[in-house]
Amino acid sequence: MSIEKLAKDFTQAVAENDAQTYQSYWSDEIVSLEPQQDSPMARVEGREALLQKHAWWEANAEVHDAKTEGPYVFGDQFAVNYEMDVTMDGERSQMKEVGVYTVRDGKIAEERFFYGS
Amino acid sequence: MSIEKLAKDFTQAVAENDAQTYQSYWSDEIVSLEPQQDSPMARVEGREALLQKHAWWEANAEVHDAKTEGPYVFGDQFAVNYEMDVTMDGERSQMKEVGVYTVRDGKIAEERFFYGS
């Protein structure tokens, strides 16, 4: 599968919240990175840990609206723009971020989230 | 200077087409990467070569409208969204791309452009 097709299928599955499909593109050794170095979410390694991260998010975030835009491809990487209207800890906010994904052997080996301000 | 401030200043200068300011954030050894591996623009190394790339763009592209959005920060990297309405070789098109910049020693050491489709 080309990187363009993988990126499009993955992004569409994320947009539709189709977890079974987008998780099928994860490598079992996927690494998920967030900017905050003091957070347990800074570096999450492996499918099981990432499933727990997602479960934590589902339990703690109330998502009012989410938009996905992209993907954008460079070599074996692609980028996706995210926009979210979400309530966490009783506080509602509008978040924007860019996810940069690195593909190895046809699977997503790393996801790295860039935060807007 | 924090990565957040550098990223904001750089992005604002690009949005205002203030070349003197945005080029002041380039490392002299900056590497500029585009996805097309068969193009001379695939990998451009160094300030002088990148100035020539910019001169080529200025000479060949008629930009009707350009939008800049961001920046988004992760560690020593930041991402910027670009949208452009441009005529090249007589053909007008709307381009979208994501630039991912890597900062070393307070200067931009690499820029990498992801293309939308």
Side-chain angles (χ1 to χ4, degrees):
Chain A
M1 184 182 293
S2 71
I3 176 84
E4 285 80 8
K5 172 146 176 55
L6 187 156
K8 274 193 185 170
D9 285 3
F10 175 82
T11 304
Q12 188 183 339
V14 171
E16 294 169 352
N17 205 20
D18 173 1
Q20 199 181 350
T21 299
Y22 73 68
Q23 289 169 7
S24 75
Y25 289 108
W26 292 355
S27 158
D28 287 342
E29 287 78 42
I30 187 168
V31 174
S32 177
L33 303 167
E34 303 266 357
Q36 317 95 321
Q37 285 308 306
D38 53 351
S39 157
M41 301 302 176
R43 184 181 180 90
V44 167
E45 287 196 53
R47 178 180 296 273
E48 283 311 310
L50 189 48
L51 287 172
Q52 287 173 32
K53 179 184 172 185
H54 280 237
W56 173 87
W57 172 258
E58 295 286 339
N60 287 279
E62 186 191 353
V63 177
H64 309 288
D65 192 31
K67 287 196 190 79
T68 303
E69 200 255 350
Y72 299 84
V73 173
F74 175 98
D76 59 359
Q77 297 187 303
F78 65 93
V80 179
N81 290 315
Y82 295 108
E83 207 166 330
M84 233 178 306
D85 179 7
V86 63
T87 297
M88 283 188 77
D89 300 326
E91 196 162 326
R92 186 164 180 169
S93 63
Q94 287 70 44
M95 297 163 56
K96 295 178 86 172
E97 57 189 65
V98 177
V100 174
Y101 299 85
T102 302
V103 174
R104 275 184 224 116
D105 302 326
K107 298 284 183 180
I108 295 170
E110 187 193 279
E111 58 178 16
R112 180 179 292 227
F113 295 101
F114 292 62
Y115 284 15
S117 59
Chain B
M1 183 183 292
S2 72
I3 175 84
E4 284 82 7
K5 172 147 176 55
L6 187 157
K8 273 191 186 172
D9 285 2
F10 174 82
T11 304
Q12 188 182 341
V14 170
E16 294 169 351
N17 206 18
D18 174 1
Q20 199 179 353
T21 299
Y22 72 69
Q23 289 169 7
S24 74
Y25 289 108
W26 292 355
S27 159
D28 287 340
E29 287 78 41
I30 188 169
V31 174
S32 177
L33 303 166
E34 303 266 358
Q36 316 96 321
Q37 285 309 306
D38 53 351
S39 156
M41 301 303 177
R43 183 181 180 91
V44 167
E45 288 196 52
R47 177 181 296 275
E48 283 310 311
L50 189 48
L51 288 172
Q52 286 172 33
K53 178 183 173 185
H54 280 237
W56 172 88
W57 172 259
E58 294 286 339
N60 287 279
E62 186 191 353
V63 178
H64 309 288
D65 192 31
K67 289 196 190 78
T68 304
E69 199 254 351
Y72 299 84
V73 173
F74 175 97
D76 59 1
Q77 296 186 304
F78 66 92
V80 179
N81 290 316
Y82 296 109
E83 209 167 327
M84 233 178 303
D85 180 6
V86 63
T87 298
M88 283 188 79
D89 300 327
E91 198 162 324
R92 185 163 179 170
S93 62
Q94 287 70 46
M95 298 161 57
K96 296 178 85 170
E97 56 190 66
V98 177
V100 174
Y101 300 85
T102 302
V103 174
R104 277 185 222 113
D105 301 325
K107 299 284 183 181
I108 295 170
E110 187 193 280
E111 57 178 17
R112 180 178 294 227
F113 295 101
F114 292 62
Y115 285 16
S117 59

